[in-house]
């Protein structure tokens, strides 16, 4: 099993020779394992896959209906807050605030929605296992949009345009039963959000040039970003958690960000997330999953509750990360430089004593910090083909 | 790690014993021969476990299943049950998922709900419940 890369190793060994060959290339050249690590962060974009748990996934009428709903403040109780009030397209669907503020203040930083369809667990604590359940949550949360199932269903029934779009999507006008109508609204919202994707980035161009053995193409990647990449897959070991094309393993860790949410309040993170996803009526084991095989529910069926989950949060994707400041589950770090400094100066005392032995302070020089920031910035698409580009 | 390596060893033995004892020839067949793709192995004096990942190859952060064959050695009793788990000893943590194991007859099993959520060294732990007590076999997997 650990031999699976032997063929690829031979292939990339050749590439390294290529990269250090005749034409001088700015910045460090990479060892064979580093090249394999870099190639593992692509290709991008990934292929479209519809969501079997949502029967309107990928349906054009539902995508259009979902986009309409996403921008409609009437879905909130007082009619003042839409999804788009917190998830702003130019900021890769975040709001620029440390912690979101809807009808009241919340404890969490707004997550971006680009590439959201590729998550396994939703929210910083993974309290939902599917995109439509996660889309129902803000509609009902008193601090966000403050409605309930009846309010959501009533808004759709009362408006001729929304009613017609609902019928087009789901084959019948909204029924008198609130819950199925509200879940369908969430499924249309999910269908729209599945189309939000980030485009190709300078990093992707470099990665593909490396895969092709194209030195000239690879040389276009700026030297600071290239040195930062070497740190990311090298001594920084960032790719232990920020792995794959999405730069996340989709799981939960504690990197020493405080979980005190306010006087006398803690954010238990994944510990509470596991409890909530299991208890949710809208999880993939529940009655609203449109995948009758329940194959989509494997993760939920097997997820374990561990003591160490307390204070763990989801590893965020790093695509478009330059657009989603401030950072971390509580928005406590303002800039990418602050994030890199956090990893550089990590307080080991703050990491749980019985926790994972993965992180240690990197003690980076100022120049290394600049390089790592330059690399993180190279994970954002140019404005033109960014977040609003459709995956299909 | 490869079932074929074992087959190569076992084959001359079978030839040497000849076809006199069909049962013996059968018992000396490589454990887990029916498993597809690249396999891994855990063994001690009394048991041999051969496993294959589904889907293969393994990838960090992706759920997978294991198809397993458990082969008693030297007259050891067939186990009554098998449990599967995994840990990262260097990081001092286990998996975020609890696998379930279903017996599929004639010493074969299927384990569902595993995930190696980061690259590095993982130890797969196989607990065999046998009439003589529980014994643990371990296989190390290095995940890139
Ligand atoms: Cu680990």
């Amino acid at each position: 099993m650990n031999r699976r890369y032997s063929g690829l190793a031979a292939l990339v060994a050749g590439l390294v020779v290529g990269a250090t060959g005749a034409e001088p290339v700015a910045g460090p050249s990479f060892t064979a394992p580093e090249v394999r690590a870099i190639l593992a962060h692509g290709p991008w974009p990934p292929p479209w896959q519809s969501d079997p748990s949502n029967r309107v996934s990928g349906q054009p009428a539902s995508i259009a209906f979902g986009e309409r709903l996403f921008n409609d403040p009437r879905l909130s109780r007082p009619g003042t807050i839409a999804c788009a009030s917190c998830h702003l397209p130019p900021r890769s669907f975040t709001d620029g605030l440390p912690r979101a503020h809807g009808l009241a203040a919340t404890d969490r930083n707004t997550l971006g929605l680009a590439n959201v369809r590729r998550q396994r667990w939703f929210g910083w604590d993974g309290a939902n296992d599917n995109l439509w359940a996660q889309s129902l949550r803000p509609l009902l949360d008193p601090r966000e949009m403050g409605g309930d199932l009846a309010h959501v269903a009533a808004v759709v029934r009362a408006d001729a345009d929304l009613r017609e779009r609902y019928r087009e999507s789901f084959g019948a006008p909204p029924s008198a039963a609130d819950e199925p109508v509200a879940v369908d609204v969430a499924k249309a919202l999910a269908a729209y959000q599945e189309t939000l994707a980030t485009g190709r980035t300078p990093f992707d161009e470099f990665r593909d040039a490396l895969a092709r053995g194209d030195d000239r193409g690879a040389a276009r990647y700026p030297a600071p970003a290239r040195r930062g990449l070497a740190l990311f897959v090298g001594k920084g070991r960032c790719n232990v958690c920020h792995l794959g094309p999405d730069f996340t393993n989709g799981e939960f860790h504690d990197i020493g960000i405080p979980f005190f949410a306010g006087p006398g309040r803690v954010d238990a993170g994944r510990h509470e997330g596991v409890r909530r996803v299991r208890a949710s009526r809208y999880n993939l084991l529940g009655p609203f999953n449109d995948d009758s095989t329940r194959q989509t529910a494997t993760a939920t069926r097997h997820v374990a509750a561990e003591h160490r989950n307390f204070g763990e949060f989801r590893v965020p994707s790093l695509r478009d990360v330059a657009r989603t400041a401030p950072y971390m589950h509580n928005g406590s770090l303002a800039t990418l430089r602050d994030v890199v400094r956090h990893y550089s100066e990590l307080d080991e005392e703050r990491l749980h004593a019985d926790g994972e032995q993965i992180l240690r302070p990197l003690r980076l020089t100022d120049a290394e910090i600049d390089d790592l920031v330059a690399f993180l910035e190279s994970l954002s698409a140019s404005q033109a083909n960014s977040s609003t580009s459709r995956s299909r | 790690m490869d079932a074929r390596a074992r087959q190569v060893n076992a084959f001359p033995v079978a030839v040497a014993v000849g076809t006199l004892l069909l049962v013996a020839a059968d018992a000396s067949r490589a454990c887990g021969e029916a498993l597809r793709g690249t396999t891994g192995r855990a063994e001690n004096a009394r048991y041999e476990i051969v496993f294959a990942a589904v889907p293969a190859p393994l990838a960090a952060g992706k759920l997978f299943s294991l198809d397993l064959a458990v082969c008693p050695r030297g007259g050891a009793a067939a186990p009554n049950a098998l449990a599967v788990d995994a840990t990262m000893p260097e990081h001092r943590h286990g998996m975020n998922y609890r696998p379930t194991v279903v017996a599929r007859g004639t010493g074969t099993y299927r384990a569902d709900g595993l995930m190696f959520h980061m690259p590095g060294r993982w130890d797969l732990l196989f607990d065999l419940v046998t009439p003589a007590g529980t014994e643990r076999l371990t296989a190390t997997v290095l995940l890139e």
Side-chain angles (χ1 to χ4, degrees):
Chain A
M1 222 158 273
N2 49 2
R3 290 174 30 304
R4 69 200 176 91
Y5 276 111
S6 52
L8 186 59
L11 182 84
V12 290
L15 288 180
V16 171
V17 174
T20 53
E23 268 186 66
V25 185
S29 55
F30 296 103
T31 63
E34 283 169 352
V35 172
R36 293 202 292 281
I38 293 164
L39 295 189
H41 289 300
W44 194 264
W48 164 260
Q49 255 181 320
S50 70
D51 173 1
S53 80
N54 179 359
R55 66 194 186 286
V56 299
S57 170
Q59 300 297 314
S62 306
I63 293 168
F65 181 31
E67 182 165 12
R68 189 60 68 101
L69 292 163
F70 192 84
N71 292 289
D72 194 332
R74 290 174 299 175
L75 288 173
S76 67
R77 172 79 68 191
T80 50
I81 297 171
C83 308
S85 308
C86 296
H87 297 287
L88 284 72
R91 292 180 176 273
S92 208
F93 298 90
T94 61
D95 53 13
L97 300 171
R99 287 167 297 282
H101 200 291
L103 295 176
T106 76
D107 292 334
R108 300 246 176 103
N109 180 250
T110 301
L111 278 161
L113 300 179
N115 313 319
V116 69
R117 69 178 174 89
R118 293 173 52 79
Q119 298 293 344
R120 170 170 49 239
W121 302 111
F122 296 81
W124 284 102
D125 56 3
N128 285 295
D129 61 2
N130 70 80
L131 186 50
W132 41 271
Q134 180 68 29
S135 302
L136 200 52
R137 188 197 61 86
L139 294 168
L140 312 183
D141 190 317
R143 298 164 307 171
E144 297 188 36
M145 296 166 80
D148 54 22
L149 299 171
H151 175 76
V152 172
V155 167
V156 175
R157 284 192 209 106
D159 182 275
D161 176 56
L162 295 182
R163 207 167 51 234
E164 176 54 19
R165 286 174 181 276
Y166 182 99
R167 193 199 54 73
E168 239 187 301
S169 258
F170 297 100
S175 72
D178 294 332
E179 190 181 39
V181 172
V183 172
D184 283 346
V185 162
K187 285 179 177 170
L189 281 164
Y192 163 62
Q193 294 167 89
E194 283 182 284
T195 66
L196 308 175
T198 57
R200 286 184 54 86
T201 67
F203 167 77
D204 296 310
E205 300 300 337
F206 173 73
R207 182 247 172 228
D208 289 0
L210 202 60
R212 288 193 305 270
D214 170 5
D215 291 355
R216 207 179 293 259
R220 276 195 280 273
Y221 193 48
R226 195 184 170 106
R227 290 192 301 264
L229 170 58
L231 288 166
F232 191 86
V233 301
K235 87 168 177 193
R237 299 201 307 156
C238 309
N239 60 340
V240 168
C241 300
H242 295 281
L243 57 81
D246 297 271
F247 293 87
T248 171
N249 61 0
E251 294 291 315
F252 303 82
H253 294 275
D254 177 358
I255 60 164
I257 303 294
F259 47 78
F260 298 102
R265 276 181 309 132
V266 292
D267 188 337
R270 184 56 172 161
H271 198 267
E272 182 64 4
V274 172
R275 194 193 64 71
R276 281 170 55 199
V277 73
R278 282 177 168 169
S280 172
R281 176 172 164 71
Y282 307 110
N283 73 22
L284 293 172
L285 294 165
F288 293 97
N289 183 351
D290 294 331
D291 162 31
S292 57
T293 71
R294 292 294 185 273
Q295 263 164 19
T296 38
T298 306
T300 312
R301 196 175 289 122
H302 292 278
V303 69
E306 304 283 351
H307 181 68
R308 69 175 153 83
N309 293 147
F310 201 94
E312 285 184 346
F313 293 89
R314 197 182 74 196
V315 179
S317 169
L318 300 180
R319 287 198 174 265
D320 246 8
V321 72
R323 291 209 177 87
T324 64
Y327 301 103
M328 304 303 173
H329 71 272
N330 56 5
S332 58
L333 299 181
T335 65
L336 286 176
R337 182 167 306 273
D338 294 336
V339 172
V340 173
R341 270 210 206 95
H342 169 80
Y343 286 108
S344 185
E345 294 159 15
L346 218 54
D347 181 356
E348 276 175 295
E349 298 290 297
R350 205 184 251 171
L351 294 172
H352 296 173
D354 62 342
E356 303 171 307
Q357 307 284 298
I358 304 163
L359 292 160
R360 48 194 83 80
L362 294 173
R363 310 262 177 251
L364 302 171
T365 64
D366 284 352
E368 286 175 321
I369 291 175
D370 289 345
D371 290 342
L372 209 35
V373 169
F375 165 68
L376 292 170
E377 285 171 343
S378 80
L379 299 176
S380 294
S382 64
Q383 199 69 258
N385 66 350
S386 127
S387 352
T388 43
S389 69
R390 298 288 166 85
S391 56
R392 68 180 318 200
Chain B
M1 287 299 265
D2 194 329
R4 267 174 309 167
R6 168 86 190 162
Q7 265 177 322
V8 173
N9 293 338
F11 188 60
V13 178
V15 173
V17 176
T19 49
L20 294 177
L21 281 171
L22 269 176
V23 178
D26 199 40
S28 70
R29 270 174 52 179
C31 185
E33 223 169 24
L35 299 182
R36 285 161 199 276
T38 313
T39 54
R41 159 193 320 272
E43 56 193 326
N44 65 14
R46 291 167 302 283
Y47 295 95
E48 178 179 10
I49 299 177
V50 176
F51 55 90
V54 184
L58 283 182
K62 298 266 186 281
L63 284 156
F64 65 94
S65 299
L66 288 178
D67 281 329
L68 302 119
V70 179
C71 308
R73 286 172 159 172
N80 300 323
L82 166 69
V84 178
D85 202 355
T87 62
M88 275 193 112
E90 287 154 15
H91 294 167
R92 301 202 314 200
H93 64 73
M95 291 190 296
N96 293 337
Y97 299 86
R98 198 133 301 149
T100 51
V101 179
V102 182
R104 289 184 155 179
T106 59
T108 64
Y109 298 83
R110 167 84 165 204
D112 289 313
L114 293 99
M115 183 194 294
F116 293 163
H117 59 272
M118 52 175 76
R121 173 185 161 180
W122 285 89
D123 282 356
L124 273 167
L125 313 175
F126 304 104
D127 284 331
L128 291 172
V129 182
T130 78
T134 298
E135 45 186 309
R136 169 163 291 185
L137 277 68
T138 305
T140 295
V141 176
L142 294 173
L143 189 67
E144 275 220 34

